[in-house]
Amino acid sequence: DQVLRATAGDEAQLALLRALGEQEELQVDFWRGPTKPGHPTDLRVPFWNLQAIKSFLEANDIPYSVMIEDVQELLNEEKRTMRLSRRLERSMDTFDFSSYHTIEEIYDWMEQLAAEHPSLVTRLQIGESYEKRPLYVLKFSTGGAGRPAIWLDTGIHSREWITQATGVWTANKLATEYGKDPAVTAILDNMDIFFEIVTNPDGFAYTQSTNRMWRKTRSLNAGSSCVGVDPNRNWDAGFGGPGSSGNPCSETYRGAYAHSESEVSSIVDFILRHGNVKAVISIHSYSQMLMYPYGYKTEPAPDHDELDALAAKAVQDLAAVHGTQYTYGSIVDTIYQAAGTTVDWAYDNGIKYSYTFELRDTGRYGFLLPASHIVPTATETWPALLDIMEHVLEHPY
Amino acid sequence: DIDNVGRKYHLKLVLEDIVEKDNIVNCTAEILYHLDNTNAAPDVHFEIEGELKNTEEQDNIFYNRIKSLKKELVAQNIPDSHGNVPPEMEPIRLLAQAAAGYVVWQNSTENTRYELAQIKRVRQVKRSDDYLEFDYMVLLHEFVSQEIIPWQMTVLWHPQHGVKVTQNSRQPKHAEH
């Protein structure tokens, strides 16, 4: 349907316009009725009658223009914005897990989570990003001193938005399931969990302000106009090898030296100082894969068989939720050779249970995964994470 | 491996209709990657078991809709940052995916994996003949290098004659590094 604006030039034309409104079968509906010559008349004309009405106006020399090309479109838009503002109101007291958020919103929500679960969750700062943003980690602990711990991170590659969003959901799940879910309760009664959700805040901010496809950190590279280092090639494990680039303009640029990035060194320092981290799970997207070391070499990891069996189980439990199929194996066998990765560093530093996830999808949306996928993705990944964490709990070393 | 020629892969795959998930078709294919000439696209031969879905009706609806637009269609960022695609842009996106498939094929080697990441910009070009013409600027995501590569494609389409990519070229990455 369209809305036309017609202007009658004289009384005769005015009468014609009024007559249009009087003929019920035409279904012409005045949004602004005919009043005086020279004053506009707005008529809503149903789609099926458009041609006839326009011809009528033209034949009678009544000038008109199309004011609204598509009335339905406007109605849809209005409904959309109303739904949006209602959602905004709701999120004032309940966080919307099914949409993507800004850094500020995530950081605020973290504070809120810690405030709502004071005996379980604290928000720690482990360092600062290149651009001086705080690097926050949520600590889940029921006490003890230096208990064996599990490290989780999401968002190390900023464009992988499904990961930060899944991180938020998962952190919330951990907090709310403690004391209810037996597995979560057993894990947290004996171990601590450290969860860094926005592992690359500078990159994340850049994906929101300037370039949605930004992957790396935002550090300036000496002698180059290109910015950033791939934080998943910057770890000291096979650093500099094939599967990373020496070119600052490359998406897989390894950096001038291992741990050059504060986003990486902060984690390294934290984990080494802690001294009792037993698992590192680093979450990426996309491709639907669950992988363990190595990425930098083809030689199988000594714990290959155990890691593989656990991956098989986790992937099976993930698929059971929504049917999402994952492949699994070592990084080098499953995705590609990559040097200087998080999990290879963790493994080579004695952390046996080192895994990396590549979440949904397999390329249809890729990095631009619709928000409607957030909750299903987080929901299906949850049992896989639990499988790994439970295994860590049951196999102390 | 085929001496002095290249490497051939025999594939058995399942094609799944993006729009109608239950619609699946079995397919076998042979891909030959050439040894020397890195500029040659791999040879592809395939066989489909059964038939692909008839989309005549939807094709014609889309065709007529675009033909009756008063102003040439222009759009950006499909999907947007949040993965949203306005419903009326869905066919534009499917068309880009088909066209990008051709571009990817022409540029594939055993060491590449390309996905269409986003349509940065699409502009309809008015034609005097029956074809619809769209000038696309897309972003391809190359998996192994993780690079995002801007690529221009000129795409022709007609409900009866199908998709043609008449022009395509890799674009320089933005200096907004």
Side-chain angles (χ1 to χ4, degrees):
Chain A
D1 294 5
Q2 291 190 345
V3 175
L4 306 178
R5 172 161 286 179
T7 310
D10 56 30
E11 285 296 337
Q13 291 190 337
L14 202 66
L16 286 173
L17 287 179
R18 283 205 196 96
L20 273 184
E22 264 142 47
Q23 289 171 264
E24 247 192 78
E25 69 278 15
L26 294 178
Q27 291 201 11
V28 165
D29 160 36
F30 290 122
W31 283 18
R32 190 212 292 249
T35 48
K36 291 205 273 225
H39 282 228
T41 299
D42 295 341
L43 0 41
R44 184 183 60 78
V45 180
F47 171 74
W48 53 265
N49 211 4
L50 263 178
Q51 246 352 94
I53 300 293
K54 285 177 178 173
S55 305
F56 173 82
L57 294 171
E58 284 159 26
N60 288 283
D61 278 321
I62 302 175
Y64 72 91
S65 59
V66 178
M67 250 182 60
I68 299 177
E69 288 246 337
D70 187 348
V71 178
Q72 189 56 48
E73 181 111 78
L74 275 187
L75 293 175
N76 293 343
E77 181 59 60
E78 190 180 68
K79 210 166 41 176
R80 223 178 294 143
T81 45
M82 281 173 66
R83 226 182 294 138
L84 215 69
S85 61
R86 258 181 282 139
R87 219 204 300 165
L88 213 62
E89 283 169 61
R90 264 188 285 138
S91 74
M92 285 306 158
D93 34 77
T94 54
F95 193 83
D96 184 2
F97 294 101
S98 58
S99 60
Y100 291 113
H101 292 276
T102 62
I103 299 189
E104 294 73 41
E105 286 166 0
I106 296 176
Y107 281 4
D108 285 345
W109 170 83
M110 282 183 187
E111 250 195 317
Q112 231 186 295
L113 189 75
E116 282 168 29
H117 304 268
S119 49
L120 181 65
V121 185
T122 29
R123 191 184 72 168
L124 310 169
Q125 185 173 343
I126 62 166
E128 274 184 346
S129 69
Y130 184 83
E131 290 173 351
K132 302 276 175 274
R133 289 185 175 82
L135 299 171
Y136 286 134
V137 167
L138 289 175
K139 176 183 181 183
F140 295 79
S141 179
T142 59
R147 282 180 177 170
I150 296 167
W151 169 275
L152 286 144
D153 64 70
T154 51
I156 199 171
H157 286 142
S158 37
R159 62 190 180 199
E160 299 164 8
W161 280 20
I162 186 61
T163 70
Q164 297 95 334
T166 296
V168 169
W169 185 97
T170 306
N172 184 67
K173 186 78 167 169
L174 285 169
T176 53
E177 289 295 311
Y178 175 73
K180 300 197 188 112
D181 178 295
V184 176
T185 308
I187 291 163
L188 286 173
D189 277 345
N190 295 285
M191 305 182 72
D192 293 343
I193 295 175
F194 293 96
F195 204 155
E196 186 174 9
I197 295 175
V198 188
T199 307
N200 178 6
D202 295 349
F204 193 46
Y206 200 68
T207 60
Q208 305 204 327
S209 64
T210 314
N211 181 352
R212 176 62 178 81
M213 298 291 176
W214 192 261
R215 166 185 168 90
K216 303 187 286 181
T217 60
R218 289 293 301 164
S219 57
L220 296 176
N221 292 307
S224 174
S225 58
C226 291
V227 176
V229 167
D230 184 340
N232 201 27
R233 300 290 187 277
N234 187 240
W235 300 73
D236 195 7
F239 179 82
S244 67
S245 169
N247 181 351
C249 299
S250 165
E251 294 281 34
T252 55
Y253 176 51
R254 61 180 76 106
Y257 52 89
H259 307 173
S260 60
E261 304 308 283
S262 60
E263 293 83 352
V264 170
S265 63
S266 301
I267 301 174
V268 170
D269 292 345
F270 179 82
I271 290 179
L272 292 180
R273 228 181 295 126
H274 184 281
N276 210 15
V277 173
K278 296 301 178 191
V280 163
I281 304 173
S282 191
I283 300 176
H284 291 253
S285 77
Y286 59 90
S287 263
Q288 293 173 198
M289 295 170 177
L290 175 54
M291 298 171 284
Y292 47 82
Y294 286 106
Y296 74 88
K297 55 184 175 181
T298 52
E299 179 196 313
D303 301 288
H304 173 277
D305 291 352
E306 184 187 354
L307 294 174
D308 193 77
L310 179 54
K313 177 179 202 302
V315 150
Q316 190 177 48
D317 289 342
L318 188 154
V321 181
H322 294 300
T324 305
Q325 299 301 313
Y326 267 56
T327 52
Y328 63 95
S330 69
I331 296 169
V332 72
D333 286 343
T334 311
I335 193 169
Y336 41 54
Q337 186 172 27
T341 63
T342 310
V343 293
D344 283 358
W345 173 85
Y347 190 76
D348 278 351
N349 278 272
I351 300 171
K352 184 175 10 163
Y353 300 108
S354 294
Y355 282 97
T356 181
F357 278 81
E358 292 278 355
L359 301 180
R360 290 193 193 182
D361 61 6
T362 53
R364 168 149 163 81
Y365 286 96
F367 301 122
L368 306 182
L369 199 63
S372 56
H373 282 251
I374 296 174
V375 175
T377 301
T379 311
E380 71 194 5
T381 309
W382 173 248
L385 288 173
L386 272 186
D387 280 341
I388 296 171
M389 295 195 288
E390 272 182 296
H391 187 96
V392 177
L393 176 68
E394 287 156 16
H395 297 82
Y397 64 94
Chain B
D1 277 315
I2 302 175
D3 283 339
N4 300 321
V5 178
R7 188 174 283 144
K8 192 180 256 199
Y9 291 83
H10 298 271
L11 304 175
K12 241 195 255 190
L13 46 142
V14 177
L15 302 181
E16 181 192 80
D17 187 338
I18 289 175
V19 180
E20 235 173 83
K21 297 279 158 132
D22 296 331
N23 182 18
I24 57 176
V25 176
N26 289 326
C27 178
T28 54
E30 262 174 28
I31 318 286
L32 173 64
Y33 288 101
H34 296 279
L35 198 63
D36 308 307
N37 199 343
T38 43
N39 287 326
D43 289 344
V44 177
H45 295 281
F46 67 93
E47 259 170 44
I48 298 182
E49 230 177 85
E51 276 171 16
L52 296 177
K53 185 175 82 172
N54 180 304
T55 55
E56 216 180 297
E57 200 188 322
Q58 298 103 296
D59 288 349
N60 286 323
I61 292 175
F62 171 61
Y63 181 75
N64 290 322
R65 176 161 70 86
I66 303 296
K67 269 293 187 190
S68 67
L69 289 176
K70 251 166 273 112
K71 272 196 312 200
E72 285 82 44
L73 182 145
V74 172
Q76 290 106 281
N77 293 333
I78 300 167
D80 67 16
S81 283
H82 292 228
N84 298 319
V85 179
E88 68 275 12
M89 285 300 151
E90 190 60 33
I92 295 288
R93 178 164 178 255
L94 293 172
L95 181 61
Q97 257 163 338
Y102 170 78
V103 171
V104 167
W105 168 37
Q106 294 299 299
N107 290 277
S108 286
T109 70
E110 284 172 278
N111 299 306
T112 59
R113 173 189 160 186
Y114 288 99
E115 303 285 349
L116 172 63
Q118 192 183 36
I119 299 166
K120 273 318 268 181
R121 182 196 41 75
V122 58
R123 205 176 40 96
Q124 182 189 359
V125 180
K126 221 41 166 194
R127 286 182 73 88
S128 48
D129 63 17
D130 274 348
Y131 279 86
L132 296 183
E133 179 176 335
F134 297 95
D135 177 19
Y136 283 95
M137 182 65 75
V138 300
L139 296 178
L140 297 182
H141 173 220
E142 200 290 296
F143 228 83
V144 180
S145 63
Q146 287 294 326
E147 295 294 333
I148 300 287
I149 308 166
W151 212 289
Q152 183 276 333
M153 318 187 289
T154 304
V155 183
L156 260 50
W157 180 73
H158 184 281
Q160 273 83 56
H161 307 311
V163 185
K164 286 201 232 293
V165 179
T166 55
Q167 202 184 305
N168 78 88
S169 58
R170 189 186 178 118
Q171 301 297 302
K173 244 174 136 171
H174 260 291
E176 38 98 275
H177 254 136

